Amino acid sequence: MKNKEELNGEEYDSLNDRKTNSSLPCSLQEIKEEGELIDGLESDFKESTCSMKEGSIQGSVFALSSLALGTGALALPIRCTQIGCFWLCLSIILIAFTTFWTLSNLINSARTVNGKEYSTSVKRIIGKIPAILIDIILMLYIFGVIIQFNVIIYSLIGRSIYEFFIDKKEYTDFSLFNEGKWSSVSLKYPIMLGLSILIIPLCLLKDISKMRFASMLGICSLCYTIIVIIIESPWFYSNYRNNKYKKEDPKTHANWFDISKGFTSELNFFTSIATVFFIFACHQGAFPVYKSLKNNNEKRINKVFFRSMCLILIIYLSVAICGFMTDPLTEEPLIIFRKSIFENDIFMNIAKISLALDLYLSIPANYNSFRASFFLLVFNTDKIDTWRNIFLTIPLILLTTFIGAIFEDILSYISLLGGFCCSIICFLIPGSLMIATSIEKVFSLKNILRLVVLGIFGIIGLSAAVLTVIKMFSKK
């Protein structure tokens, strides 16, 4: 007889049917089995509501949510300004449930071929070339994220220096300090180069398991930042109504519903939706979560996906609405860059410092994923050779720093990564796997609906990527 850890839904249904459908009395052995089964169900209930251990439902929800949560959430308020707060929130809700759908179907598709990794599942279902493509896109995604981290870190350091050490009479606003001193070549490049040199030894580590604390620090610092934004939003909104809002001037009105602003010459509708794609990207991380989940049947993994999406949906909607209320006219790429209305906003300054530290320590973990994929793809091995590691790591870290120093537009990185990488990783490839493993005919109504929905998301994302590249080079 199986232990309660080995029970699954099918066995329970079989046993339950035997009890309800039989006209004969249950034997003592059957009663004993069913009693143990009830104990197992009670244990599952306690686990799903209380336990945070590795492999539990709640622990898996936390793990998957931490993979999705990131600095992209801090760009939601400006996207509210660009396409209307209502429409951005609606798109967040829609994409949250679409992400749940694609995550569930991605794992179900992988189960049909016993796929344990994303690229392995793609290779076994639709071929070697798409698998290589997904590996390359994942590496490009990580490469872009590291560049984005460098840009945000440098900006956060500059703003922290301005808040704590710069005379506000000489520079009344950070933009003046940024243009006057902080962005000067003599200051900018040495600082960014110094930061990259300091992080290289950590990136060279072959085993970064001892740096797992960085992910916990990241969740704590981001949650702290979000709490500060939410708590301070009423004061900022009152300041907007009293000092910026003018009834007779439409330019000072908060954009709650006007989606037409997203279809001006900038076409911010596409880049705004790409930002939402970016904040829900967690499909690669779904496989480790699935493997670590105890009794990882379809029902339990779907519980993890659904609860994770609900959790981060609440967080993202809170950031979008409260951040938007902080300054409905904001032009800052991230809400933490807002101009403070307090004489000394110590809580937000702490958030900036902790977030900069978190992003800095997250670079080795992200780079490790890039390096592992690179060695498997190029050298067909998962063993990290010392000299290859050195020749790959040092140039690549310096290259990400150099690109970050040239292209400083944070929103462009988010739009490009969300539009190109995430639309393929999160929608187009999972959609292809769904159709390839579907029991229906290729052109059945169900598959056609899948193609239409995920195809629209893919078109929006790729359009955003093209628009972003054009904007980046036209500015230069």
Side-chain angles (χ1 to χ4, degrees), residues 450-467:
R450 288 170 174 167
L451 282 171
V452 170
V453 173
L454 299 178
I456 290 173
F457 283 175
I459 291 170
I460 291 174
L462 296 176
S463 299
V466 172
L467 289 169

Side-chain angles (χ1 to χ4, degrees), residues 100-250:
F100 164 72
W101 176 50
T102 55
L103 282 171
S104 176
N105 281 279
L106 177 64
I107 294 300
N108 284 340
S109 299
R111 285 163 67 99
T112 61
V113 293
N114 197 29
K116 302 298 184 182
E117 303 291 343
Y118 198 156
S119 59
T120 304
S121 302
V122 172
K123 182 178 179 180
R124 292 177 181 177
I125 296 173
I126 56 178
K128 184 177 180 180
I129 294 177
I132 293 174
L133 176 65
I134 202 72
D135 279 332
I136 293 173
I137 291 173
L138 286 168
M139 287 192 294
L140 285 174
Y141 176 79
I142 297 169
F143 183 76
V145 166
I146 294 174
I147 296 172
Q148 179 208 9
F149 282 178
N150 282 316
V151 176
I152 296 175
I153 290 166
Y154 180 77
S155 184
L156 288 171
I157 291 173
R159 290 170 189 274
S160 299
I161 290 174
Y162 173 77
E163 293 293 338
F164 288 109
F165 302 109
I166 301 302
D167 184 4
K168 305 303 185 294
K169 293 180 180 179
E170 182 180 359
Y171 296 102
T172 57
D173 189 79
F174 174 75
S175 59
L176 299 175
F177 171 66
N178 187 45
E179 294 172 3
K181 282 189 176 181
W182 188 241
S183 290
S184 61
V185 174
S186 60
L187 190 62
K188 176 180 180 180
Y189 288 98
I191 290 176
M192 293 191 77
L193 180 62
L195 290 173
S196 63
I197 291 174
L198 287 174
I199 203 67
I200 283 175
L202 293 178
C203 293
L204 286 170
L205 293 175
K206 297 179 183 180
D207 180 13
I208 62 166
S209 58
K210 294 181 180 179
M211 293 191 65
R212 284 178 293 182
F213 71 91
S215 62
M216 183 61 70
L217 173 64
I219 292 298
C220 292
S221 62
L222 186 61
C223 289
Y224 169 77
T225 303
I226 292 171
I227 291 170
V228 171
I229 292 170
I230 293 172
I231 292 175
E232 292 184 349
S233 61
W235 284 275
F236 276 87
Y237 189 69
S238 296
N239 177 70
Y240 155 74
R241 295 288 298 183
N242 295 332
N243 300 318
K244 296 180 180 180
Y245 176 78
K246 296 178 182 179
K247 188 175 181 179
E248 65 279 2
D249 185 3

